[in-house]
């Protein structure tokens, strides 16, 4: 798909908006206002339909991506945003979670700025923060963790990094997009010195009605994901905080083959 990005700029703008992890009630007031005022909404597949329904008359374009299928390549998305803004439209680029946490918001903002397009950012509650709150897992806790790191499970070059610096005593590691590579992630962490008995939690569909939160030990991570049929979107929490989940057993389930003591 080709878009005309050579037309002289009009008075349009691009607003990168974080839609949050799923629950429409977690949308910020500023994000809600931007959605209502949009001429065009360009949205990811993870944006909850209830959020899109807030502006039923607004034109929408889905640029949903999955691990095996992209509706539109990233450079084409950039071109689309620029072209529509140059037609004078207020374009809301609506993203699940937060635009600047594994949302390619930085790339899109850079493309708009380079093209002379006015761009602004409205942050959203990230998938990690929303999911952890829903499962009542504190990502930091004065007794066990004073640092938290976010990584992408499919990030280029991550396998060459020393994962021991990301997880271990006193630290929490949150992994996005790690369901498909969970076996390799666990193997890498253990090979780099993280204890096989380190508690982990997997939060699936965080904050949504079908949310699940499961916990086990690092050595059982890949097996548990297969056993429980975990699907994306999901985040993996590695660290002692995963054993301190405060939610009811009906929500935060202990994997049957592992023993984790809160």
């Amino acid at each position: 798909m080709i878009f005309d990005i050579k037309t002289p700029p009009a008075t349009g703008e691009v607003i990168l908006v974080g839609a949050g992890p799923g629950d429409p009630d977690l949308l910020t007031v500023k994000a809600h206002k931007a959605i209502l005022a949009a001429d065009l909404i360009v949205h990811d597949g993870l944006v909850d339909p209830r959020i899109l329904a807030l502006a039923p008359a607004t034109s929408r374009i889905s640029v949903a991506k999955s691990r095996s299928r992209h509706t539109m390549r990233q450079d084409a998305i950039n071109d689309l945003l620029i072209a529509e803004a140059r037609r004078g439209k207020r374009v809301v680029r609506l993203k699940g979670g937060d635009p600047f946490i594994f949302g390619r918001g930085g790339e899109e903002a850079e493309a708009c700025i380079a093209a002379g397009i006015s761009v602004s950012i409205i942050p959203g509650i990230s998938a990690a923060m929303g999911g952890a709150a829903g499962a009542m897992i504190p990502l930091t806790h004065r007794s066990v963790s004073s640092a938290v790191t976010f990584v992408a499970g499919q990030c280029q070059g991550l396998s060459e990094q020393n994962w021991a610096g990301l997880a271990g005593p006193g630290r929490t590691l949150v992994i996005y997009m790690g369901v498909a590579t969970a076996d390799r992630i666990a193997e890498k962490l253990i090979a780099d010195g993280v204890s096989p008995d380190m508690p982990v939690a997997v939060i699936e569909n965080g904050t949504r009605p079908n949310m699940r939160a499961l916990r086990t030990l690092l050595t059982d991570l890949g097996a548990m994901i297969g056993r429980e049929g975990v699907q994306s979107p999901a985040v993996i929490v590695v660290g002692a905080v995963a054993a301190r989940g405060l939610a009811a057993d009906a929500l935060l389930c202990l994997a049957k083959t592992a023993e984790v003591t809160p």
Side-chain angles (χ1 to χ4, degrees):
M1 191 176 297
I2 300 175
F3 303 98
D4 178 14
I5 62 171
K6 297 180 180 180
T7 306
T11 57
E13 63 177 326
V14 173
I15 309 171
L16 304 182
V17 177
D23 183 351
D25 287 340
L26 294 178
L27 198 68
T28 67
V29 173
K30 192 169 186 177
H32 190 186
K33 289 179 179 178
I35 291 169
L36 294 178
D39 298 313
L40 173 66
I41 295 175
V42 179
H43 64 92
D44 290 342
L46 292 179
V47 176
D48 193 286
R50 293 171 294 174
I51 293 176
L52 294 174
L54 294 173
T58 303
S59 298
R60 304 176 203 158
I61 298 176
S62 172
V63 291
K65 295 178 181 178
S66 66
R67 194 162 182 262
S68 59
R69 180 183 63 85
H70 288 188
T71 302
M72 190 179 295
R73 294 179 60 84
Q74 186 60 55
D75 56 354
I77 295 173
N78 297 347
D79 290 349
L80 169 64
L81 299 176
I82 293 167
E84 293 298 331
R86 283 183 169 166
R87 294 189 179 100
K89 293 182 181 180
R90 181 183 287 111
V91 182
V92 164
R93 175 68 173 102
L94 194 58
K95 295 173 171 290
D98 181 272
F100 278 4
I101 300 182
F102 304 122
R104 298 193 178 183
E107 298 174 41
E108 294 171 1
E110 289 169 349
C112 290
I113 291 169
I117 299 298
S118 174
V119 60
S120 58
I121 315 298
I122 299 177
I125 294 174
S126 69
M129 294 178 180
M136 295 187 70
I137 297 175
L139 294 182
T140 63
H141 190 291
R142 189 170 61 167
S143 299
V144 294
S145 178
S146 60
V148 59
T149 302
F150 303 109
V151 302
Q154 300 172 28
C155 183
Q156 293 181 357
L158 195 58
S159 61
E160 284 74 51
Q161 296 183 20
N162 184 350
W163 284 64
L166 305 179
R171 286 162 287 172
T172 302
L173 174 63
V174 181
I175 303 165
Y176 286 67
M177 299 171 284
V179 169
T181 55
D183 278 324
R184 296 200 296 275
I185 287 170
E187 291 171 1
K188 175 63 174 169
L189 284 167
I190 293 169
D192 285 349
V194 179
S195 171
D197 293 332
M198 178 66 73
V200 298
V202 179
I203 305 168
E204 178 187 55
N205 292 310
T207 79
R208 298 170 188 249
N210 58 341
M211 172 180 167
R212 287 195 299 166
L214 306 165
R215 58 179 174 170
T216 186
L217 302 177
L218 181 58
T219 188
D220 183 52
L221 175 61
M224 185 197 72
I225 284 176
R227 192 168 60 242
E228 300 292 340
V230 176
Q231 300 290 322
S232 295
V235 295
I236 300 168
V237 179
V238 181
V241 297
R244 303 186 76 97
L246 306 175
D249 289 343
L251 176 61
L252 189 60
C253 304
L254 181 65
K256 295 181 179 63
T257 61
E259 295 182 359
V260 180
T261 304

